[in-house]
């Protein structure tokens, strides 16, 4: 006889510890999974410490079966999203489940009921917590490890969602650039275009870090305003993100495009610290930090995680200028592969531009949705 599945909210420190540690059991022995830093995960989930919670309501749930924790989920109402899109959509995230349809259905049903009780008419996910953080479910490219700030899941997760009446909302794509030398014709063409357009590409100024972060926020919120799923970053969120990225980023990988002194675009790439984090098992102490410092010297991949242009400056080749700059910089830092992710499946100008540069599509992630009665 099958054991009953119960789903209850996280209320105690023990509950939170079980919520955080469940992936270690589900992915045991999987060499591709990257254990997240537990300290950072705790801060992300902390309603008092992470700025996302200033404009959102979140509840965490655990599924138990026969006394064992077998799944987890977060139910999310992001008031910033509701206000910006004028759309009663809630979200689910941090979804993990054993390969059991009953467990997945119980978790998803609980999240649906919770967001519905907060006035939402649709649920979307997975989002951890929004498109500004980790989002999407891997559906193709399981043979490749996830890069920094990208999710990973087991193949059966797709079936669990689709068997619970979730349907595709949007696919997110990851491209790989693994040619260390850009074609000379591309370099000449972009250089000529940059001169004709009077565009300057410069790295972030570490001496004026906070001033440049403010410029990036302005470009970011303008560049993605009409994109699917976009939610503006608040000043508190971008400052929090900047503090996190400060110690792992590199000035030459954070670029601003300017014309006549006006910022019109920016791009951000990061070393793929997942290659080092896989050695830490989620802990910085007591020796994790030393391991991180050691293994970061062996990182061979960088990820371009965001690139955008203000309206009115698209179709001018500025995106190619930014990509080329990052492409040329990567080998200097010891990176033989650059992942460009994620890109909306229907962002054809960006996709075609990357494909003309020789990039290949190698991973697909999916956001699901479901109407709520």
């Amino acid at each position: 006889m099958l054991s009953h599945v119960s789903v209850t909210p996280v209320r105690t420190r023990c509950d939170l510890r079980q919520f955080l540690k469940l992936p270690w059991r589900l992915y045991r022995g999987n060499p591709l999974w990257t254990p997240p830093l537990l300290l950072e995960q705790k801060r992300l989930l902390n309603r008092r410490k992470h700025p996302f919670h200033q404009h959102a309501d979140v509840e965490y749930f655990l599924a138990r079966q026969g006394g064992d924790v077998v799944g987890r989920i977060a139910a999310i109402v992001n008031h910033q999203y509701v206000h910006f899109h004028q759309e009663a959509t809630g979200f689910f995230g941090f979804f993990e489940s054993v390969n059991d349809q009953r467990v997945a259905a119980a978790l998803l049903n609980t999240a649906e009921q919770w967001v519905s009780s907060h006035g939402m008419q649709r649920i979307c996910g997975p989002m951890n917590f929004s498109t500004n953080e980790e989002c999407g479910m891997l559906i193709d490219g399981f043979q490749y490890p996830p890069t920094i700030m990208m999710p990973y899941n087991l193949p059966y997760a797709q079936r669990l969602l689709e068997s619970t009446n979730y349907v595709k909302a949007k696919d997110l794509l990851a491209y790989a650039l693994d040619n260390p030398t850009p074609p000379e014709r591309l370099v000449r063409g972009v250089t000529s275009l940059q001169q004709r357009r009077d565009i300057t590409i410069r790295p972030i100024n570490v001496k004026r870090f906070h001033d440049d972060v403010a410029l990036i926020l302005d470009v970011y919120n303008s560049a993605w305003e009409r994109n699917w799923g976009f939610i503006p970053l608040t000043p508190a969120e971008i400052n929090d993100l900047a503090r996190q990225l400060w110690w792992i980023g590199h000035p030459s990988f954070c670029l601003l495009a300017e014309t006549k002194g006006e910022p019109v675009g920016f791009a951000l790439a990061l070393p793929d610290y997942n290659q080092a984090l896989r050695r830490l098992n989620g802990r910085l102490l007591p020796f994790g930090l030393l391991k991180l410092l050691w293994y970061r010297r062996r990182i061979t991949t960088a990820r371009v995680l965001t690139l955008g242009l203000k309206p009115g400056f698209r179709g001018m080749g500025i995106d190619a200028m930014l990509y080329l700059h990052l492409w040329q910089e990567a080998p200097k830092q010891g990176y033989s592969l650059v992942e460009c992710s994620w890109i909306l499946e229907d962002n054809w100008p960006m996709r075609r531009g990357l494909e003309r540069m020789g990039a290949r599509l190698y991973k697909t992630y999916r956001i699901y949705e479901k109407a709520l009665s």
Side-chain angles (χ1 to χ4, degrees), residues 7-12 15 59-62 64 110:
V7 179
T8 56
V10 169
R11 288 291 180 263
T12 67
D15 290 342
E59 189 69 271
Y60 311 116
F61 296 95
L62 286 171
R64 291 182 173 89
T110 299

Side-chain angles (χ1 to χ4, degrees), residues 58-362:
V58 184
E59 189 69 271
Y60 311 116
F61 296 95
L62 286 171
R64 291 182 173 89
Q65 188 177 42
D68 295 326
V69 173
V70 290
R72 72 178 195 183
I73 200 166
I76 306 155
V77 173
N78 185 344
H79 301 289
Q80 181 96 327
Y81 180 95
V82 173
H83 173 75
F84 186 79
H85 289 276
Q86 293 295 295
E87 186 180 283
T89 296
F91 298 90
F92 72 90
F94 299 92
F95 173 71
E96 299 284 1
S97 173
V98 295
N99 189 7
D100 187 324
Q101 190 62 49
R102 294 186 311 131
V103 174
L107 285 164
L108 292 162
N109 183 59
T110 299
E112 292 160 19
Q113 291 181 7
W114 191 88
V115 301
S116 181
S117 72
H118 286 68
M120 301 297 104
Q121 299 170 1
R122 173 175 167 259
I123 190 168
C124 200
M127 301 273 187
N128 304 344
F129 288 108
S130 73
T131 53
N132 293 324
E133 290 94 16
E134 278 190 14
C135 61
M137 174 172 285
L138 184 66
I139 63 167
D140 185 58
F142 291 97
Q143 68 271 39
Y144 303 108
T147 57
I148 186 169
M149 298 176 68
M150 291 296 285
Y152 185 79
N153 53 266
L154 295 168
Y156 67 74
Q158 179 180 5
R159 174 180 50 79
L160 294 181
L161 255 68
E162 293 178 359
S163 297
T164 320
N165 298 321
Y166 279 79
V167 297
K168 170 185 164 182
K170 190 74 71 172
D171 279 353
L172 315 175
L173 310 178
Y175 279 84
L177 269 170
D178 48 12
N179 182 348
T181 307
E184 184 58 35
R185 58 178 176 76
L186 175 67
V187 176
R188 289 198 306 268
V190 170
T191 301
S192 174
L193 186 63
Q194 187 172 341
Q195 292 170 347
R196 292 202 310 272
R197 299 287 190 186
D198 192 22
I199 302 294
T200 300
I201 307 293
R202 70 168 177 89
I204 194 170
N205 188 334
V206 294
K207 294 181 179 179
R208 300 178 60 251
F209 179 73
H210 293 291
D211 292 337
D212 275 357
V213 166
L215 296 177
I216 288 171
L217 176 61
D218 178 60
V219 174
Y220 181 87
N221 285 341
S222 173
W224 279 271
E225 184 176 11
R226 297 186 182 277
N227 274 22
W228 179 91
F230 171 73
I231 308 163
L233 282 169
T234 66
E237 285 177 305
I238 198 164
N239 286 330
D240 181 81
L241 183 61
R243 282 194 298 270
Q244 293 179 66
L245 301 182
W246 170 259
W247 67 279
I248 62 172
H250 192 284
S252 61
F253 275 3
C254 186
L255 305 176
L256 277 164
E258 297 176 329
T259 177
K260 299 177 182 178
E262 177 192 356
V264 296
F266 93 101
L268 173 64
L270 291 174
D272 180 21
Y273 267 79
N274 275 6
Q275 294 182 355
L277 290 176
R278 288 185 197 105
R279 312 279 187 158
L280 273 60
N281 199 32
R283 299 186 181 277
L284 277 178
L285 301 174
F287 304 114
L289 184 56
L290 293 176
K291 288 183 179 180
L292 185 64
L293 294 173
W294 172 260
Y295 285 109
R296 74 176 180 180
R297 297 182 299 179
R298 303 185 183 186
I299 294 173
T300 58
T301 299
R303 177 193 166 208
V304 181
L305 67 159
T306 187
L307 185 152
L309 306 170
K310 282 185 173 180
F313 294 92
R314 295 163 187 163
M316 297 171 59
I318 301 175
D319 52 346
M321 299 173 200
L322 290 164
Y323 269 127
L324 179 61
H325 193 104
L326 293 171
W327 191 358
Q328 291 173 319
E329 187 64 29
K332 299 176 187 177
Q333 304 299 328
Y335 308 129
S336 57
L337 184 144
V338 177
E339 176 178 300
C340 305
S341 62
W342 46 264
I343 296 163
L344 291 170
E345 62 176 328
D346 50 6
N347 186 347
W348 289 108
M350 189 71 73
R351 291 185 62 183
R352 289 182 181 125
L354 281 168
E355 289 165 5
R356 282 195 295 268
M357 294 170 71
R360 58 186 172 88
L361 174 62
Y362 83 135

Side-chain angles (χ1 to χ4, degrees), residues 24-72:
W24 268 258
R25 182 153 56 87
L26 297 180
Y27 296 97
R28 184 179 294 126
N30 187 321
L32 299 181
W33 177 66
T34 302
L37 284 177
L38 282 166
L39 282 174
E40 180 54 31
Q41 287 284 289
K42 287 180 183 178
R43 194 184 72 87
L44 181 63
L45 300 180
N46 192 312
R47 297 177 181 89
R48 295 187 301 275
K49 291 186 177 180
H50 196 277
F52 175 81
H53 300 281
Q54 295 173 7
H55 56 78
D57 294 316
V58 184
E59 189 69 271
Y60 311 116
F61 296 95
L62 286 171
R64 291 182 173 89
Q65 188 177 42
D68 295 326
V69 173
V70 290
R72 72 178 195 183

